[in-house]
Amino acid sequence: MPARFTVTTPIYYVNDVPHIGHAYNEVATDVLARWHRMRGDDTWMLTGTDEHGQKIMRTAVANGTTPQEWTDRLVESAWKPQLELLDIQNDDFIRTTSERHKAGVRIFLERLKETGYIYHGEFEGQYCVGCEEYKTPNDLVPGTGEFEGQQVCAIHSRPTETVREANYFFKLSEFDDRLLALYDERPDYVQPEHVRNEVRQFVKQGLTDLSISRNTFDWGIKVPWDESHVVYVWFEALLNYITAIGYGVDEEQFERRWPATHIVGKDIARFHAVIWPAMQMAAGLPISDHVFGHGWLLVGGEKMSKSKATGIEPRQITDVFGVDAFRYYFMSAIAFGSDGSFSWEDLDARYHSELANGLGNLASRVIAMVHKYFGGTVPEAAPDAEIAELAERAVATAEAAIDRFAIDEAVDAAMGIVERLNGYITEQAPWVLAKDEAQQERLAAVLASNVHGIGTAAILLAPVMPTTAQALWAAVGGEGAVTAQPIHEAHRWQGTRTVTTVPPLFPRIEQAQPAT
Ligand code: MSP
């Protein structure tokens, strides 16, 4: 049986249009899903939108509309189109306002209530609507500017609101020991290491019970046994990962797809690695496979965000550089798991050096030489051992990197082939060999080595740059869809031995940054 790989993005708040921070998250998840599909794994990629809660309700009201109309409009006009724009191959898209989600949430809550992990109680706390989360004093920092003298949320830089309510609670405090045991028994459950340490530290300090309902507004899913309450937005949002795959409704689908791997930003790792596994334990579900908390895209040293007016929309970049370069840049330039600063200068420099001069130039030179010296037929010569071994090593390195979620290292391994081939061509100087009858065999081996290496690189780059990789693949004589190649055997590919022509993959760009 093929291995199961179910991978999820967070579901996005649709209070605004997406920016490149969201795109980063979507592309990374898509690369992992595509990679696993090319391994032959039984892969399922889930994404969607988080549509309830106060934040969205207030935004809708401020825009003179209802939350349902607002979310419908944003989902259709901005969030779904973004997936298409970025060439994301998600298998499903879940909205928390959909009937299937609401039905699954109700089933889960009823089950949890039967276990005795839910009770009714009083609560007063400091709530950040931006985060949709109660904050502890440790989560607050001194405000600046208009909020000078007040404590504000460290993420949104705005004061919290005091909320006093009689709510339903989840007995989160009973799960500390089991959670700590989970982190110890499965060291790769939360990644990377610094996120794991932070989560562990948080749980070690002791957990308090979690308020899981609200009764001062009604934009949410009604608590099944008390319709004067709606379910706390995070509590039901986390459930999207199971309601989308048939929890409580379609056992066969659920068995096949669950557990999943969650790719999330580090700001929401705690929800996924503390609250969510406790919910799973309480309901007797198998625990998720992995929670990977990636870093933030920063602008001026701070998390890029729409609310701080630092959001850049993906289209601003893809209009200039194209979608594949967008995907490549964010996957290669930032170590997955670390923060990264976006700059137009860096994007422009890498685009020209790595893609246009590195990959694009290599492909067009090699193909031109196969045409010129061998009439377009790749000579029947074994690739040089050095290049064959390099290709094989790159595949093994990239495969191992993907298993550690080190997407940037996997891309590096593929680009290592490109870089070496560029050096190898200079050293071997096929244009010199071509002038000497006695060197025909060398010339054949040098060009066969290049074609072999480019084909391997095209396969390894397919999850990151699907369109470019297909063009490269076809140009060096690959048959059919590059995505149909088993990626773990990328160095074993055999083509038709006929090269075609390669379209200009990465045209030079004169003005990188759009005029503002
Ligand atoms: N709705 C919740 C998630 C619920 S999952 C059950 C949420 N939504 S969000 O729209 O605010 O954020 C979605 C994802 O985008 C998060 O993983 C967040 O980390 C990510 N990013 C938002 N801004 C980002 C950057 N500037 N950089 C990288 N990722 C960023 O949280």
Side-chain angles (χ1 to χ4, degrees):
M1 255 204 351
R4 179 200 60 245
F5 186 68
T6 300
V7 67
T8 70
T9 70
I11 49 172
Y12 306 95
Y13 287 132
V14 288
N15 55 312
D16 211 333
V17 295
H19 59 63
I20 60 175
H22 307 117
Y24 177 61
N25 184 285
E26 292 170 341
V27 169
T29 310
D30 183 58
V31 168
L32 292 170
R34 285 174 179 268
W35 197 288
H36 281 264
R37 273 187 213 110
M38 287 178 70
R39 271 188 192 171
D41 292 349
D42 186 18
T43 304
W44 191 256
M45 173 178 166
L46 172 67
T47 187
T49 43
D50 192 353
E51 306 184 17
H52 292 126
Q54 254 168 311
K55 170 150 77 178
I56 289 177
M57 195 186 69
R58 286 185 187 176
T59 311
V61 171
N63 283 278
T65 181
T66 64
Q68 189 64 64
E69 274 168 10
W70 176 260
T71 56
D72 285 349
R73 194 194 310 158
L74 263 107
V75 168
E76 293 307 325
S77 68
W79 290 88
K80 284 187 175 170
Q82 160 139 319
L83 296 171
E84 254 180 60
L85 171 73
L86 298 173
D87 218 347
I88 306 291
Q89 262 184 355
N90 52 304
D91 296 284
D92 196 1
F93 186 97
I94 182 136
R95 297 182 56 177
T96 55
T97 49
S98 64
E99 258 326 301
R100 64 174 172 150
H101 177 69
K102 292 182 191 169
V105 169
R106 284 193 289 265
I107 295 171
F108 184 89
L109 275 172
E110 293 281 16
R111 285 197 189 156
L112 214 59
K113 186 153 182 281
E114 283 162 23
T115 62
Y117 284 118
I118 292 182
Y119 65 95
H120 192 255
E122 294 268 331
F123 189 70
E124 181 181 304
Q126 293 301 314
Y127 198 79
C128 170
V129 174
C131 294
E132 292 282 13
E133 184 186 17
Y134 280 105
K135 296 287 171 181
T136 65
N138 285 345
D139 298 325
L140 303 178
V141 296
T144 54
E146 62 175 310
F147 303 119
E148 186 87 48
Q150 298 181 53
Q151 289 293 95
V152 297
C153 163
I155 294 174
H156 290 90
S157 307
R158 302 183 69 85
T160 50
E161 297 173 22
T162 305
V163 175
R164 181 179 304 130
E165 279 180 86
N167 292 333
Y168 291 97
F169 285 80
F170 170 52
K171 291 186 184 168
L172 183 61
S173 61
E174 293 193 4
F175 290 89
D176 319 27
D177 291 344
R178 285 172 69 184
L179 287 169
L180 291 171
L182 168 69
Y183 309 143
D184 285 346
E185 281 157 23
R186 286 175 41 189
D188 65 350
Y189 168 63
V190 187
Q191 295 185 54
E193 197 56 25
H194 63 264
V195 174
R196 174 169 181 260
N197 290 340
E198 192 197 302
V199 162
R200 223 174 164 283
Q201 209 43 43
F202 178 75
V203 175
K204 255 186 145 172
Q205 286 164 7
L207 296 172
T208 51
D209 289 346
L210 180 73
S211 162
I212 59 160
S213 74
R214 305 292 303 274
N215 69 356
T216 48
F217 64 96
D218 66 356
W219 179 236
I221 300 177
K222 290 191 165 53
V223 171
W225 59 88
D226 181 350
E227 300 214 334
S228 65
H229 285 249
V230 292
V231 183
Y232 168 45
V233 61
W234 263 105
F235 202 74
E236 52 117 329
L238 289 164
L239 292 171
N240 90 87
Y241 302 128
I242 58 172
T243 61
I245 51 171
Y247 171 76
V249 178
D250 181 347
E251 279 311 311
E252 199 181 317
Q253 165 82 342
F254 188 67
E255 284 287 306
R256 175 168 173 195
R257 301 294 175 204
W258 187 256
T261 289
H262 308 300
I263 307 299
V264 302
K266 63 180 180 181
D267 48 323
I268 58 171
R270 261 194 224 172
F271 288 98
H272 286 80
V274 179
I275 299 176
W276 182 216
M279 290 165 68
Q280 295 165 11
M281 287 170 184
L285 290 174
I287 308 298
S288 309
D289 283 331
H290 306 283
V291 175
F292 188 93
H294 63 69
W296 287 339
L297 298 191
L298 307 175
V299 173
E302 278 194 57
K303 178 173 175 236
M304 173 181 299
S305 92
K306 274 272 165 181
S307 59
K308 291 187 182 166
T310 52
I312 298 170
E313 284 180 33
R315 193 172 283 286
Q316 291 175 262
I317 296 176
T318 57
D319 278 352
V320 182
F321 291 93
V323 172
D324 276 2
F326 178 100
R327 294 172 58 106
Y328 171 83
Y329 174 71
F330 287 105
M331 292 303 103
S332 67
I334 303 168
F336 199 52
S338 305
D339 291 346
S341 294
F342 167 76
S343 82
W344 288 97
E345 292 72 24
D346 188 40
L347 167 60
D348 186 59
R350 283 173 187 265
Y351 174 87
H352 285 107
S353 68
E354 295 168 21
L355 295 180
N357 298 339
L359 182 58
N361 214 11
L362 171 72
S364 55
R365 284 164 88 196
V366 167
I367 285 164
M369 285 191 277
V370 176
H371 279 295
K372 186 167 174 195
Y373 303 136
F374 294 96
T377 301
V378 183
E380 290 280 351
D384 279 352
E386 179 216 333
I387 303 299
E389 282 162 19
L390 171 73
E392 185 168 356
R393 246 192 346 267
V395 172
T397 304
E399 277 278 288
I402 288 297
D403 283 337
R404 291 183 288 112
F405 300 96
I407 300 175
D408 54 298
E409 291 178 34
V411 180
D412 268 3
M415 292 303 281
I417 303 178
V418 173
E419 203 181 309
R420 177 62 199 126
L421 288 180
N422 273 317
Y424 171 80
I425 292 187
T426 312
E427 285 161 25
Q428 301 290 329
W431 47 90
V432 176
L433 299 175
K435 291 193 183 124
D436 183 349
E437 263 306 306
Q439 296 286 358
Q440 283 305 294
E441 259 181 47
R442 272 310 296 148
L443 179 65
V446 168
L447 289 180
S449 301
N450 270 290
V451 167
H452 173 73
I454 294 173
T456 306
I459 298 171
L460 292 177
L461 290 169
V464 181
M465 296 194 284
T467 310
T468 305
Q470 181 60 38
L472 265 181
W473 173 248
V476 293
E479 278 181 291
V482 65
T483 48
Q485 296 301 305
I487 203 161
H488 50 290
E489 293 180 350
H491 55 292
R492 299 226 169 90
W493 74 281
Q494 299 282 342
T496 58
R497 306 207 80 89
T498 306
V499 299
T500 56
T501 51
V502 64
L505 298 173
F506 305 105
R508 301 213 134 267
I509 290 160
E510 297 308 334
Q511 189 191 356
Q513 183 160 6
T516 43

